[in-house]
């Protein structure tokens, strides 16, 4: 069956390749007569054609974005001082008049709130983990934990947008689109940039398609939304009354007729069109094969937790992420909602961790046992941190935390980052005391790991050269192995 | 053909060539030669050597050996030939000059030099007639011009120092390994690129040269530049750190500045004592200077062969096989195969053409045979190989051990046991082996790990025998309202799972309850309970859904009290639109009340006996939405005078109440029959103390009314 | 000398002449510029701006070595860092430091500096500079800031090809390039084009027959006049204006609740249809509330400035967003109406254009007067419009604005402009951030470098700004709009960067034409329909789109319009075409946006769970078949089928859509229920009207492609249709499901014949032809 289809494809491919050949041949001839007719005007393109510029440490990225900002103080950044000073006022000397969100700016007091969770150290790196992340803690020796991230935005929308596009406002391409534009897709039958969405039980903040928008780049670099289950990609599944053979027959008709049109009108665009239809067809065959869970051994199911069988869950998306990544998707972006615990934090965060802990760890273990971890960069983190003082009513077992851009923690694994704990915050967990890492630095580092110099990686639009890192950003060499 | 004839032809050519040459030379700026002429131009370097040699010979001949003369005609003939070639060469040169852009000065000299040569060699023809000795002068002049012009030409192509005496060359390419000094690897290049142009042998500003360790140590007019004191930075750093605008800032504004990396590099190096002999591997691996430098130099196994242009790899790329250079400039190739069901050997065979270049090969999931492996074995420079789930067996892999550079091998999902693995590892060169497959005993693998300490044996978790809970089955039916009948699908994604369900409210079990095979047809009010079972797994939780049959539809419904503006659904119709609201109270499918009770009346054309009514209402304590407090039902036949039928009170929500819609039922006494029924639905007026909004009234949200 | 010698000499001269002319012939075809031809604006400034202005441009803060190259004075002056030397010495390239630097091979000397990541100048460019300086290095004012003038249109050789002035300009260039324009396109082609470009809808089968068989030889003009009178013209024109005005049906930002700006959309459609002059069109949208005879209608127009996103995220800082909103207004005004990227001057002086940060905030000041606040509360307090709002009662609609198509009689709310009674002080914000105001106070003033803002004639408010904008002396307003219309018709503007006429924008391919059209447009009292008709009447537009070998070789990008461009339909038009050809289209005009078929979970998977738009509640009945422009746009999850076809995500003002070709587009045309339903409905319709299969296929083909099929095409399709019919007769169980797609009711009971099903599949193929959704 596949063979027969493939055969048909080959024939077609040969056909329009020859077409293109003819077309290009003609054009090439033209370029001889008019010198420099086909110079690439845009040196950005020239640059991006020569990527990676140096030996990449990572070939692919899986970004597990924890949307809504998980509390670093209840997961990674252990601050006994807060428990000691439970309920006392945050010293002004520490806060230094930092701006607050509208939610707490009118709050009279800022009582410090220590975490209710038990912390312990794990692995050779001795990294601290809260009791609600047992699985992640168990692989701590594979993790690169940066406790000194900081950002500029103090509200979700701008902060998310900043993290994904390098700018708080405006219609910029997202990180994945940049990488798609720079490196393209390894597997020609899949998009280079895929997006997976899931929701936790906690307070959700929503995600926005502009977070995976191609901005001013060609829309081929737009993130394509995937889901596990019946229809992995929108419009991918044929209506039930059209089967493969049917479809093939249809496509052959369409190609033949478009071919004819090309003969009469001679517009090369028509040839591109034919190719796009073939590519679409190959995608229709590739995606179900790749996303199907049928041939996953039971022990894998058990590793991710049986939720991974339920389309749309975080676990299912982690498993799907591995499948897409190992099939050559450059950038897989997950979003998991529900971390925005302004109140009732202990219960909410516990629930969130229950959703993500096992699957996150499973994904890293799974990549590792396949020998893929060293070439795949896995990132885990939110858009900012949460305050060390309580928002709303502080009780012994219950409290809430407001947004805190001054310091927070993200984790990375594989892809050429060095396991260990990097950066430090003060004993109140309010300010960074060692190795501050700005969002731009983070972007610069990820690009560096992919073999791209973030300062040279530009795209000219409306007369201005844009960069993912805008005009800033330094590669953080300390975390690169 | 007689000498004379040839001579005449040549002479005629000269009459053509020389003017043409002059034209080109004079209007050189105006013209733009077409493709063909440009191509001709390229022959210039080819042809020029002839007249050079010939020219020199001629002048020598005229200078010293004119006594023993050769016959004039021969002389003239030779001269003519020389002149023709010279002018052709000049013309070619002029054409060539239009294409490449050379240094303006040089090109001019060379251009006119060439023209001069041609013209002089032409004049010779007419000088030889009268044998005066200003032919000697001509010869000398000719020789000078000749050498001059050619030298300029040489400079154009081979650079300004072409024929000048070779200078002591600065270290251009250094072999980089961990034994080379940090100065060589990282510092010198910075100075070379950014400083030496002003602080070097040619141009020595401030008496400072930064080209050699000695000179650097010598320092400049302000003395030593490397050592600072506690209160003062080393001069070098000081100058670098001054603001760009500052006059003493180095490199001066307008010159190429140091990158932030380079600055901190110099910082760290000087802080570390500016030791010229310090070697990379003297440093601890986590030392920041080490990190910096090692980041700056290419790591092991990366041959950097930049600005070498490599052939394209398109011929090897198919829709299911991608080949790439590791990075631009490298000739190492990585190969990825995708989608096993489309694997065909051809694309692997094709790769034999570049077998030397392939360093990474990923064939995970390809259905491989022995034959495929034989091809792979030819990739002698392979460093990393992925054969996960390729269906090969461990014995067939023996050959891989012969690959000298293969360090990193992944064979997860490949059939093998401890013994065969042990055998495989014996005398292997691997540094890392990913092996994870069914039935491998972890402890034994641990032992193997100890037996082969220099192999990093990555063994995944083995969980088949772990016992965990199955996830819940999914009831696939959006609507919860049965108009005539409903077909309910139940889904579960785990292979070979056994789904049991009940419709009588009892909990399903794996024995008696009916097994789900095809969609369940519902036509009555039903509580559907579903549970999934599988041996080796803990059975799932029970999933429960209530389906309502709407038996009786009132003819009209009208609200006596208005719902909150934001939650007014589609008005009274909301209650009988046969659509449930789900858990989102603000999606326009709910009627929400807070400040008043909910009161509405349903009307029938004629008397309508009812046995019961069910209101579907939402609970979400977090959002201040509490259960209905009470429902009072009254009946009437004229729509004015209502008699009480029944009143039911419902328990308040506990702190732990789960969010979701519930049915609130009130059964009517026997033989209740009216044309009008009035419902008064009350909410909780004061939220309990445990609730953050205690004291405030609670919301109620109602989306549907069902009648029996 | 001997006779022989003379002959030789003679031959020699002949040959020299020959060779010379040979060389000069090649020379004609080379790109080298003669001294005389070198123009600062065309040849020099683009390079300067691209490679030098970043450090030696208008931005005083970023200026290096005190050197400024965007002005003659600066460039001629003695170098501060290098006394006795000059960047440019007019007439003397050798002495000019600039040449030395761009030619240098010393990494420390060469400009642009390697670390700037700008590639160095090409030999040709360097050559240009040398020659320009040799000629005295004359600077010119930036072309776009000089008011356009109507030059006498040029003479051309192929006179009989010309239909109106446009063609003179176009044809001249074509002839200069040694190209030939295409012949007039076939009648059928012109009909399709005209319908697409004027109404965006397909002609009915009857209309096709009527117009193809009309004998009259000025039929084409008649056609245009008829089409320009159709109400669908207003809809079609509105589409690109909605992109510029970033229209959407939700507030954007995280909870993204519903808003009602659609009455403003109805106003736009109405304005185009009654052919409101462009100057009025602009004035009302910028300052309808300040006009002397302001009515609710003119106030409604100002919704234009309020279409941008509004946050309803809990706990945002009011001022932060109030500033953000005014920044968006300023940006939109600049880009959509003046075609300048003024927003670049928000944080620092503009890097390329003569706009200082002060200029920016003076413009910003106009909008800073607005009453609105940054934050009216979170989603739980959300209302369909934000203050200041306009309330429109059913009564007012009946009397004043009958074109507003409301569903019921409830009062409508629209966000509109309204200034606070007292003058809000505006200060320059350092780095453009809301919490860093400097103490420099500025007053509302338009961009002086474009045209002086005389405070005696213009009031210092939006009305003044509007009057300044539509003043005929304003060099940009007319050019920009004319160019937008051109872009909408030809796929790309005469100025390709239609949103940037600044120094970094591209130069017009036909400057004289652009100016001529602009002036002509103003002379005809900003008459938009006149402009559209003018362009559509030109032979440039009417020529065939065939791409010959010569075209591909000499002008692959079709810079010179020696053929009519083949442009893929806009996302909305693709939908319109499918609906109108199948007869599904619901022609209703205006009103609230609708929710047609959409894949499951698009909204649900992204929502925060709050707000009315948390879940997608698909419409039923006629609302399923409204034009693409009425499809509900939820900013955080815009309709995927539109986005895939390059529709604007409406996040901010968008001057030009890209046109890409991706596999997802193929998937949509093949699997989108709308297309499937259309195929079915058309099949059912035809199988009723036509008797035999040949005719059925032919009618379907004509209806969709507006032309008769070639023999090849017809045979192929008929063959396929027959084979499918056979197949389906063999599998009767497949027939019903095949014809079950879509909610549209079946015309008759016994619809499910294998014939209809086969025809439907055939039609699906026709819908998927490249030509179907392309203007050719």
């Amino acid at each position: 069956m596949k063979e027969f289809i493939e055969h048909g494809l080959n024939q077609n491919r040969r056909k329009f390749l020859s077409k293109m050949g003819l077309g290009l041949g003609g054009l090439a001839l033209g370029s001889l007569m008019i010198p420099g007719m086909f110079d690439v005007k845009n040196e950005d393109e020239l640059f991006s054609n020569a990527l990676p510029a140096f030996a990449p440490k990572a070939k692919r990225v899986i970004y597990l974005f924890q949307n809504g900002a998980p509390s670093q103080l209840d997961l990674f950044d252990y601050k006994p001082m807060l428990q000691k000073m439970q309920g006392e006022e945050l010293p002004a000397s520490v806060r230094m008049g930092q701006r607050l969100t509208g939610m707490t700016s009118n709050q009279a007091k800022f009582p410090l709130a220590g975490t209710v969770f038990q912390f312990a150290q794990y692995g050779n790196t001795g990294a601290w983990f809260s009791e609600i992340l047992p699985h992640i803690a168990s692989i701590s020796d594979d993790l690169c934990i940066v406790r000194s991230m900081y950002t500029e935005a103090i509200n979700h929308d701008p902060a998310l947008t900043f993290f994904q596009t390098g700018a708080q406002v405006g219609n910029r391409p997202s990180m994945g689109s940049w990488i798609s534009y720079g490196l393209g897709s390894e597997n020609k039958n899949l998009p280079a940039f895929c997006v997976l969405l899931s929701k936790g039980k906690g307070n959700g903040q929503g995600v926005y398609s502009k977070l995976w928008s191609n901005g001013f780049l060609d829309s081929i670099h737009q993130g394509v939304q995937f889901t596990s289950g019946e229809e992995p990609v929108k419009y991918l599944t044929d209506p039930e009354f059209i089967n493969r053979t049917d479809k093939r027959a249809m496509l052959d008709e369409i190609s033949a007729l478009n071919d004819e049109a090309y003969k009469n009108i001679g517009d090369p665009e028509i040839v591109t069109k034919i190719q796009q239809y073939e590519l679409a067809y190959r995608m229709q065959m590739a995606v179900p094969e790749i996303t199907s869970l049928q041939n996953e051994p039971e022990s894998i199911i058990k590793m991710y937790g049986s939720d991974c069988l339920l389309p749309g869950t975080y676990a299912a998306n982690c498993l799907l992420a591995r499948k897409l990544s190992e099939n050559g998707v450059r950038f897989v972006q997950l979003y998991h909602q529900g971390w925005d615990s302004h109140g009732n934090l202990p219960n909410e965060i516990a629930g969130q961790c229950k959703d993500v802990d096992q699957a996150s760890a499973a994904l890293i273990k799974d990549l590792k046992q396949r020998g893929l971890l060293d070439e795949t960069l896995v990132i885990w983190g939110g858009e900012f941190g949460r305050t060390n003082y309580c928002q709303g009513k502080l009780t012994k077992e219950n409290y809430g935390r407001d947004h805190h851009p001054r310091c927070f923690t993200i984790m990375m694994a594989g892809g050429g980052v060095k396991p260990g704990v990097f950066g430090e915050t003060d004993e109140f967990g309010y300010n960074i005391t060692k190795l501050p890492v700005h969002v731009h630095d983070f972007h610069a580092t990820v690009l560096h790991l992919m073999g791209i110099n973030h300062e040279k990686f530009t795209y000219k639009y409306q007369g201005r050269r844009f960069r993912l890192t805008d005009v800033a950003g330094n590669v953080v060499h300390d975390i690169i192995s | 053909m007689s000498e004379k004839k040839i001579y005449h032809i040549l002479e005629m050519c000269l009459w053509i060539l020389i003017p043409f040459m002059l034209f080109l030379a004079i209007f050189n700026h105006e013209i733009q030669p077409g493709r063909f002429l440009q191509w001709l131009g390229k022959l210039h370097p080819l042809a020029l050597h002839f007249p050079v040699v010939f020219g020199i010979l001629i002048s020598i001949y005229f200078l010293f050996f004119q006594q023993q003369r050769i016959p004039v005609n021969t002389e003239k003939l030779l001269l003519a030939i020389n002149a023709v070639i010279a002018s052709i060469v000049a013309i070619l040169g002029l054409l060539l000059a239009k294409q490449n852009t050379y240094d303006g000065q040089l090109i001019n000299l060379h251009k006119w030099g060439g023209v001069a040569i041609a013209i002089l060699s032409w004049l010779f023809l007419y000088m030889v007639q009268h044998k005066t000795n200003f032919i000697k002068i001509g010869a000398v002049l000719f020789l000078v011009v000749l050498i001059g012009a050619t030298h300029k030409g040489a400079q154009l192509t081979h650079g300004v120092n072409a024929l000048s005496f070779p200078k002591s060359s600065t270290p251009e390419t250094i072999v980089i390994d961990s034994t080379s000094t940090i100065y060589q690897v990282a510092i010198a290049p910075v100075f070379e690129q950014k400083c030496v142009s002003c602080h070097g042998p040619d141009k020595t500003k401030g008496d400072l040269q930064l080209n050699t360790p000695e000179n650097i140590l010598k320092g400049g007019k302000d003395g030593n530049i490397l050592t600072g004191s506690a209160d003062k930075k080393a001069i070098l750093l000081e100058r670098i750190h001054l603001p760009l605008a500052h006059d003493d800032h180095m490199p001066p504004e307008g010159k190429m500045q140091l990158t932030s990396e380079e600055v901190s590099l110099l910082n760290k190096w000087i802080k570390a004592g500016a030791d010229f002999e310090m070697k990379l591997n003297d440093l601890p691996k986590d030392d920041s200077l080490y990190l910096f430098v090692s980041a700056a130099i290419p790591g092991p196994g990366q041959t950097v062969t930049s600005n070498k242009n490599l052939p394209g790899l398109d011929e090897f790329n198919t829709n299911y096989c991608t080949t790439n250079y590791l990075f631009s400039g490298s000739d190492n190739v990585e190969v990825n195969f995708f989608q096993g069901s489309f694997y065909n050997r051809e694309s692997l065979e094709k790769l034999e053409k570049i077998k030397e270049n392939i360093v990474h090969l990923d064939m995970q999931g390809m259905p491989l045979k022995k034959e495929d492996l034989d091809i792979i074995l030819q990739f002698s420079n392979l460093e990393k190989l992925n054969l996960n789930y390729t269906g090969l067996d461990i014995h067939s892999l023996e050959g891989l051990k012969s690959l000298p550079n293969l360090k990193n091998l992944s064979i997860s999902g490949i059939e093998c046991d401890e013994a065969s693995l042990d055998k495989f590892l014996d005398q292997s060169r691997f540094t890392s082996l990913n092996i994870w497959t069914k039935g491998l005993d972890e402890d034994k693998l641990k032992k193997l790990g100890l037996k082969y300490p220099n192999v990093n044996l990555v063994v995944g978790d083995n969980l088949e025998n772990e016992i965990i809970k199955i996830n819940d089955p999914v009831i696939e039916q959006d609507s919860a309202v049965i108009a005539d009948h409903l077909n309910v699908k139940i889904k579960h994604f785990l292979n070979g799972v056994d789904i049991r369900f009940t419709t009588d409210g009892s909990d399903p079990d794996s024995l008696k309850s009916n097994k789900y095979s095809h969609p369940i047809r519902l036509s009555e009010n039903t509580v559907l309970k579903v549970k999934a079972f599988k041996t080796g797994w803990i059975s799932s939780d029970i999933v429960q859904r209530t389906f309502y049959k709407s038996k009786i539809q009132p003819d009209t419904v009208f609200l006596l009290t208005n719902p909150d503006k934001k939650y007014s659904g589609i008005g009274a119709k909301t209650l009988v639109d046969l659509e449930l609201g789900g858990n989102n109270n603000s999606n326009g499918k709910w009627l929400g009340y807070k400040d008043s009770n909910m009161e509405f009346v349903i009307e029938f054309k004629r008397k309508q006996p009812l046995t019961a009514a069910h209101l579907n209402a939402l609970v979400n304590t977090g959002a201040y939405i509490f259960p209905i407090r009470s429902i009072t039902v009254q009946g009437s036949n004229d729509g004015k005078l209502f008699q009480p039928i029944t009143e039911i009170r419902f328990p308040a929500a506990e702190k732990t109440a789960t969010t979701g819609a519930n049915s609130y039922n009130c059964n009517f006494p026997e033989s209740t029959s009216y044309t009008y029924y009035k419902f008064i639905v009350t909410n909780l007026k004061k939220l309990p103390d445990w609730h953050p909004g205690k004291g405030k009234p609670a919301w109620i949200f109602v989306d549907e009314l069902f009648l029996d | 000398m001997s006779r022989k010698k003379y002959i030789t000499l003679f031959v020699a001269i002949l040959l020299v002449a020959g060779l010379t002319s040979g060389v000069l012939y090649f020379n004609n075809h080379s790109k080298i510029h003669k001294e005389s031809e070198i123009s600062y604006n065309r040849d020099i400034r683009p390079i300067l701006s691209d490679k030098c202005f970043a450090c030696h441009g208008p931005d005083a803060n970023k200026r290096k070595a005190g050197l400024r190259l965007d002005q003659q004075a600066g460039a001629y002056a003695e170098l501060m860092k290098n006394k006795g030397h000059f960047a440019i010495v007019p007439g003397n390239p050798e002495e000019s430091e600039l040449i030395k630097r761009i030619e240098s091979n010393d990494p420390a000397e060469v400009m642009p500096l390697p670390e700037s990541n700008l590639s160095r100048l090409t030999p040709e460019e360097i050559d240009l500079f040398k020659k320009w300086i040799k000629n005295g290095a004359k600077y010119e004012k930036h072309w776009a800031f000089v008011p356009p003038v109507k030059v006498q249109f040029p003479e051309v050789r192929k006179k009989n090809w010309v239909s109106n002035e446009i063609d003179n300009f176009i044809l001249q260039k074509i002839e200069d390039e040694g190209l030939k324009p295409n012949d007039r396109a076939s009648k059928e082609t012109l009909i399709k084009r005209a319908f697409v470009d004027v109404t965006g809808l397909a002609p009915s089968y009857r209309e096709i027959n009527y117009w193809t068989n009309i004998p009259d030889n000025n039929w084409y003009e008649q056609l245009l006049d008829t089409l320009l009178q159709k109400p669908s013209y207003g809809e079609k024109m509105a589409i690109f204006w909605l992109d510029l005005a970033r229209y959407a049906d939700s507030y954007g930002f995280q909870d993204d609740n519903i808003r009602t700006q659609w009455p403003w959309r109805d106003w736009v459609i109405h304005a185009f249809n009654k052919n409101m002059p462009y100057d009025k069109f602009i004035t009302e949208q910028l300052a309808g509330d300040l006009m002397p005879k302001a009515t609710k209608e003119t106030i409604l127009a100002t919704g234009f400035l309020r279409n941008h996103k509004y946050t309803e995220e809990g706990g945002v800082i009011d001022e932060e967003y109030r500033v953000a909103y005014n920044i968006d207004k300023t940006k939109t005004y600049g880009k959509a109406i003046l075609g300048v990227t003024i927003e670049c001057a928000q944080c620092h002086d503009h890097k390329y254009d003569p706009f200082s940060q002060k200029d920016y905030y003076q413009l910003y000041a106009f909008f800073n007067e607005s009453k609105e606040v940054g934050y009216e509360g979170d989603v739980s307090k959300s209302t369909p419009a934000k203050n200041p709002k306009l309330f429109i009662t059913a009564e007012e609609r009946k009397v004043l604005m009958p074109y507003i198509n409301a569903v019921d009689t409830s009062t409508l709310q629209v966000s509109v402009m309204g200034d606070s009674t007292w003058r809000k002080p505006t200060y320059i914000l350092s780095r453009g951030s809301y919490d860093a105001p400097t103490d420099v106070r500025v007053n509302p003033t338009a961009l002086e470098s474009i045209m002086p803002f005389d405070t005696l004639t213009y009031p210092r408010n939006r009305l003044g700004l509007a009057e300044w904008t539509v003043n005929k002396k304003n060099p940009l307003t007319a050019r920009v709009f004319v160019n937008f219309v051109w872009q909408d018709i030809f796929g790309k503007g005469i100025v390709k960067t239609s949103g940037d006429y600044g120094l970094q924008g591209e130069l017009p391919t036909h400057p004289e034409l652009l100016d001529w059209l602009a002036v002509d447009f103003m002379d005809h009292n900003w008459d938009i329909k006149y402009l559209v008709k003018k362009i559509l009447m030109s032979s440039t537009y009417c020529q065939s789109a065939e791409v010959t070998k010569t075209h591909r070789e000499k002008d692959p990008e079709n810079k010179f319009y020696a053929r009519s461009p083949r442009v893929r339909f806009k996302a909305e038009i693709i939908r319109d075409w499918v609906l109108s050809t199948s007869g599904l289209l619901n022609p209703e005009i205006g009103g609230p946006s609708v929710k047609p078929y959409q894949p499951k979970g698009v909204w649900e998977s992204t929502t925060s769970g709050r707000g009315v738009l948390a879940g997608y509640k698909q419409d039923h009945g006629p609302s399923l078949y409204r034009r693409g422009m009425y499809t509900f746009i939820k900013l955080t999850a815009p309709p995927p089928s539109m986005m895939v076809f390059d529709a604007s995500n409406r996040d901010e003002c968008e001057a030009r859509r890209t046109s890409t070709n991706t596999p997802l587009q193929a998937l949509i045309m093949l699997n989108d229920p709308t297309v499937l339903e259309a195929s079915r409905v058309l099949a059912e319709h035809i199988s009723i009207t036509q008797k035999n299969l040949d005719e059925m296929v032919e009618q379907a083909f004509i209806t969709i492609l507006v032309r008769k099929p070639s023999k090849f095409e017809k045979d192929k399709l008929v063959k396929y249709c027959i084979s499918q019919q056979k197949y389906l007769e063999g599998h009767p169980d497949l027939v019903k499901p095949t014809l079950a797609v879509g909610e549209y009711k079946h015309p008759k009971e016994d619809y499910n014949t294998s014939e209809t099903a086969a025809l439907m599949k055939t039609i699906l193929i026709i819908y998927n032809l490249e030509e179907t959704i392309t203007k050719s």
Side-chain angles (χ1 to χ4, degrees), chain B residues 30-71:
Chain B
E30 306 305 317
I31 59 162
Q32 168 70 2
R35 287 273 158 187
F36 175 69
L37 294 182
Q38 288 190 8
W39 172 76
L40 275 184
K42 298 213 187 300
L43 298 179
H44 174 70
L46 221 85
L48 60 86
H49 300 89
F50 188 84
V52 175
V53 179
F54 204 57
I56 296 173
L57 290 178
I58 291 173
S59 24
I60 293 170
Y61 164 81
F62 278 125
L63 286 175
F64 311 103
F65 307 102
Q66 228 181 0
Q67 293 75 345
Q68 51 276 76
R69 295 200 49 159
I70 11 172

Side-chain angles (χ1 to χ4, degrees), chain A residues 27 37 99 102 156 199 204-205 207 209 218-219 235 246 258 265-267 276-277 337 455 460 462-463, chain C residues 50 117 254 313 315 335 434 504 547 552-553 566 604 606-607 610 636 660-661 663 671 761 768 770:
Chain A
L27 299 173
M37 180 172 92
R99 71 173 184 154
H156 293 287
K199 273 204 191 90
Q205 284 313 325
V207 285
S209 66
D218 191 311
S219 71
Y235 300 106
D246 259 0
N258 281 337
I265 309 165
D267 183 351
Q276 293 307 343
Y277 269 78
Q337 285 195 52
E455 283 175 326
K460 192 173 168 190
Q462 279 219 344
Chain C
D50 193 27
N117 294 326
Q254 61 161 288
E313 173 170 349
K335 199 169 176 184
Y434 75 96
Q504 277 292 78
V547 188
R552 275 209 301 278
E553 288 158 2
R566 297 185 82 246
E604 290 75 4
T606 54
T607 181
R610 292 180 289 270
T636 57
T660 60
N661 203 338
N671 294 341
K761 282 176 144 185
N768 275 276
E770 191 265 359

Side-chain angles (χ1 to χ4, degrees), chain A residues 404-476:
Chain A
H404 186 60
R406 311 264 303 152
C407 65
F408 59 105
T409 305
I410 67 167
M411 293 189 296
M412 296 189 236
V417 290
K418 195 195 309 166
V421 182
F422 303 92
E424 265 173 24
T425 56
D426 61 26
E427 54 190 356
F428 292 93
Y430 194 90
N431 294 307
I432 295 171
T433 54
K434 195 169 152 212
L435 190 77
V437 178
H438 185 275
V439 174
H440 287 318
D441 304 335
F442 165 76
H443 288 150
T445 310
V446 173
L447 289 179
H448 178 85
L449 291 169
M450 304 287 288
I452 302 173
N453 175 340
H454 71 101
E455 283 175 326
K456 291 199 160 56
F457 190 36
T458 60
Y459 186 88
K460 192 173 168 190
Y461 169 69
Q462 279 219 344
R464 180 180 158 195
R465 283 187 181 70
F466 287 88
R467 268 164 45 183
L468 173 59
T469 51
D470 200 9
V471 293
N474 292 311
V475 176
V476 186

Side-chain angles (χ1 to χ4, degrees), chain A residues 199-217:
Chain A
K199 273 204 191 90
K201 295 162 200 70
N203 178 21
Q205 284 313 325
V207 285
Y208 340 114
S209 66
K210 80 170 179 217
L211 295 178
W212 52 92
S213 130
N214 50 301
F216 39 70
L217 298 173

